[in-house]
Amino acid sequence: MNSSSPDPETIRFALHGGAGDPPPGAGPQPQQRDVLRRVAGEAHALLRAGASALDAVTRAVELMEDCPLFNAGIGAVLSRDGQPELDAAIADGTDRACGAVTGISRVRSPIRLARAIMERTPHVFFGGAGAERLAAELGLELVEPGFFITAERLQQLEAAKRAGAITLDHDDHAFCDDDAAFGTVGAVARDSRGHLAAATSTGGLSNKLPGRVGDTPVIGAGTFADDRSAAVSCTGTGESFIRSGFGHAVHARIAWCGWTLDRACAEALESVAHYHGRGGCIAIDAQGNIALPFNARSMYRAWVEADGVVRVAIGPGGDGA
Ligand code: ASP
């Protein structure tokens, strides 16, 4: 295949809505499953209609940011002082172009700002007030921080504070026994021309210290794409994903050592565990293989292989209903 001949057979897509350790009685969570199915279906339809991998992951993450059930955009978890501090990144496998943003609370769609940074500035990474000023200059929609805050997240923050914990979004705070919990959203895609892209957006960890930055906006850690290897989007204890250099480690094992996607992701996840972290990733390689490994009790995920069927799963075990 070459880049002038689109081939629908090459299309793949995967989506995550975070990982964590929900209570054993959390049940089948039909609402979350419905959202994952709908968003993956919409992204896949875009790819079928000829959209680029970049457009598909941008749209999927934007839709997830608008859903209060997941930890990004509306419904993002809150930092210790009760404020949303949002991070996002996007990576284009074609030429390693990328854009990232951290610590913002006034930009309606952090992933749209990351994309604009990539395409409309000479830079790749913006933070805080400068990022928000840039968003205004670029004409992106601005909102008040309260726009992102939900009653559930305020309760979750209080529970995390009572437990003295810094938690992942989906963790069961009642019995959370370590200092972590997640819920980030992310998407990876391979389009009809074989190009790869990845996008991730998050509120980070509940009860995190103000100013803390996780792996999500760090290109080569929580978000990465290179057409020669894979597109990767992570969720989990950001500090451990940064320490393991997750996205770039997957790339290096595939591009330089000839490893399979499964093996490269499993090794990177072992490294996360070694650095005391939990979580998982979604990844698609240049051949269209998909890997969805995680070492928490659950990872909310949906994926579409060559057969075009949208599959959804939360707990361990493969092709969830
Ligand atoms: N990885 C994110 C962070 O550390 C959290 C998550 O995945 O929910 O900011």
Side-chain angles (χ1 to χ4, degrees):
M1 189 200 64
N2 64 52
S3 60
S4 61
S5 57
D7 175 2
E9 297 294 306
T10 69
I11 291 171
R12 303 285 187 282
F13 180 78
L15 177 71
H16 73 74
D21 293 346
Q29 307 192 61
Q31 277 184 298
Q32 284 85 346
R33 284 175 190 271
D34 283 354
V35 173
L36 290 167
R37 187 178 301 284
R38 180 173 54 77
V39 172
E42 182 167 333
H44 185 251
L46 282 175
L47 290 163
R48 295 283 306 183
S52 66
L54 209 52
D55 281 343
V57 297
T58 306
R59 180 66 182 145
V61 168
E62 183 179 39
L63 288 169
M64 295 292 277
E65 287 176 339
D66 269 353
C67 174
L69 296 173
F70 297 98
N71 172 21
I74 301 169
V77 301
L78 305 172
S79 67
R80 189 181 61 183
D81 60 7
Q83 291 304 306
E85 293 184 19
L86 309 178
D87 299 338
I90 191 159
D92 182 353
T94 312
D95 58 357
R96 297 265 285 255
C98 52
V101 65
T102 184
I104 56 169
S105 58
R106 295 172 189 277
V107 180
R108 160 86 192 240
S109 173
I111 199 64
R112 284 278 167 203
L113 177 55
R115 175 102 185 238
I117 288 167
M118 178 176 83
E119 293 180 335
R120 299 170 61 191
T121 80
H123 309 301
V124 298
F125 201 175
F126 281 76
E132 290 174 348
R133 208 161 50 235
L134 176 72
E137 280 169 24
L138 295 176
L140 299 188
E141 186 181 352
L142 300 181
V143 294
E144 288 303 313
F147 174 81
F148 298 111
I149 300 176
T150 63
E152 288 75 13
R153 295 308 188 199
L154 285 168
Q155 281 167 13
Q156 191 177 38
L157 175 62
E158 288 315 312
K161 281 183 172 173
R162 275 196 305 276
I166 299 170
T167 61
L168 294 174
D169 173 38
H170 294 304
D171 275 350
D172 172 11
H173 296 176
F175 67 92
C176 181
D177 58 358
D178 64 15
D179 64 352
F182 340 105
T184 295
V185 308
V188 290
R190 181 177 183 243
D191 63 28
S192 62
R193 295 179 187 275
H195 294 308
L196 300 173
T200 318
S201 184
T202 190
L205 302 181
S206 188
N207 200 26
K208 66 185 178 182
L209 298 182
R212 174 263 187 191
V213 181
D215 61 311
T216 297
V218 179
I219 300 293
T223 307
F224 186 80
D226 187 319
D227 281 1
R228 295 167 299 177
S229 56
V232 183
S233 171
C234 300
T235 173
T237 326
E239 287 71 9
S240 312
F241 281 77
I242 291 173
R243 288 172 78 185
S244 70
F246 198 102
H248 194 267
V250 170
H251 165 73
R253 294 299 194 190
I254 295 172
W256 305 341
C257 308
W259 285 18
T260 63
L261 181 72
D262 277 342
R263 186 178 174 202
C265 290
E267 213 262 352
L269 206 50
E270 271 172 34
S271 161
V272 166
H274 176 77
Y275 296 121
H276 319 295
R278 286 182 294 138
C281 78
I282 54 173
I284 298 177
D285 72 12
Q287 287 70 45
N289 298 300
I290 299 180
L292 310 158
F294 56 100
N295 65 6
R297 247 180 258 152
S298 68
M299 184 170 78
Y300 295 69
R301 58 202 189 277
W303 66 102
V304 189
E305 298 179 61
D307 61 9
V309 175
V310 178
R311 294 184 170 81
V312 177
I314 296 178
D319 57 344

